[in-house]
Amino acid sequence: MRRMIVVLFLAVFGAACGQEETPTTPEAMSPEPESPASPAGVTLETAESDLGTILTDAEGQTLYVFLNDSAGESTCYDDCAQAWPALETEGDPQAGAGVDASLLGTTERQDGALQVTYNEMPLYYFADDAEPGDTNGQGIGDVWFVVSPEGEPIRG
């Protein structure tokens, strides 16, 4: 009986002081273990351009594929990577509106960074694209192309 009075007193006193009631059952006292979640990675979006609907990052910067790459493996390093920076992520890439999540993936670069792939092709920016929507890298060397939401290079 004395224990019940103490528990009741603590519950009333805690409520009066703006504190929540102290849990009294073992289930309430032990928190649920949290499952580790991988951090969200970069988000791909689509945008309308003169070339049709293309892939962009979340800020609207155009993304490109390099036809000299092998499926799932980048071949653009050193000077190439200066002009064509890889789209890198720290978590699983996310599909925004119009992006097919089943085509998203990653590949490991030589330095260990994760590069986002789409339809197994590594994705890049073009250093001379200053504004969202710029497509200045389109067709350079007949090997750099913007990407359609279906994962195909747009050669137009």
Side-chain angles (χ1 to χ4, degrees):
M1 178 73 165
R2 183 175 189 164
R3 178 177 157 89
M4 187 181 347
I5 292 171
V6 171
V7 170
L8 182 59
F9 173 79
L10 290 175
V12 171
F13 182 76
C17 294
Q19 298 174 349
E20 292 184 23
E21 185 176 331
T22 306
T24 56
T25 64
E27 296 81 20
M29 294 175 77
S30 59
E32 293 272 329
E34 292 185 27
S35 60
S38 63
V42 298
T43 299
L44 272 64
E45 301 283 345
T46 59
E48 293 302 318
S49 75
D50 293 343
L51 300 165
T53 305
I54 62 173
L55 290 184
T56 69
D57 68 7
E59 285 76 42
Q61 291 298 128
T62 302
L63 298 171
Y64 298 86
V65 291
F66 183 35
L67 298 186
N68 290 349
D69 283 347
S70 305
E73 189 173 332
S74 175
T75 60
C76 183
Y77 292 97
D78 304 320
D79 291 341
C80 176
Q82 292 296 314
W84 300 94
L87 173 62
E88 295 180 356
T89 188
E90 291 185 12
D92 293 332
Q94 306 297 306
V99 176
D100 185 344
S102 71
L103 297 179
L104 282 171
T106 58
T107 186
E108 189 171 336
R109 293 184 58 75
Q110 291 173 346
D111 64 1
L114 287 179
Q115 183 172 2
V116 178
T117 62
Y118 197 72
N119 197 22
E120 298 186 1
M121 293 299 291
L123 297 175
Y124 303 87
Y125 295 106
F126 181 51
D128 288 343
D129 282 350
E131 301 291 324
D134 284 353
T135 57
N136 298 318
Q138 175 65 7
I140 291 183
D142 204 31
V143 292
W144 290 98
F145 296 97
V146 298
V147 188
S148 76
E150 295 76 32
E152 298 299 323
I154 298 174
R155 297 176 187 250

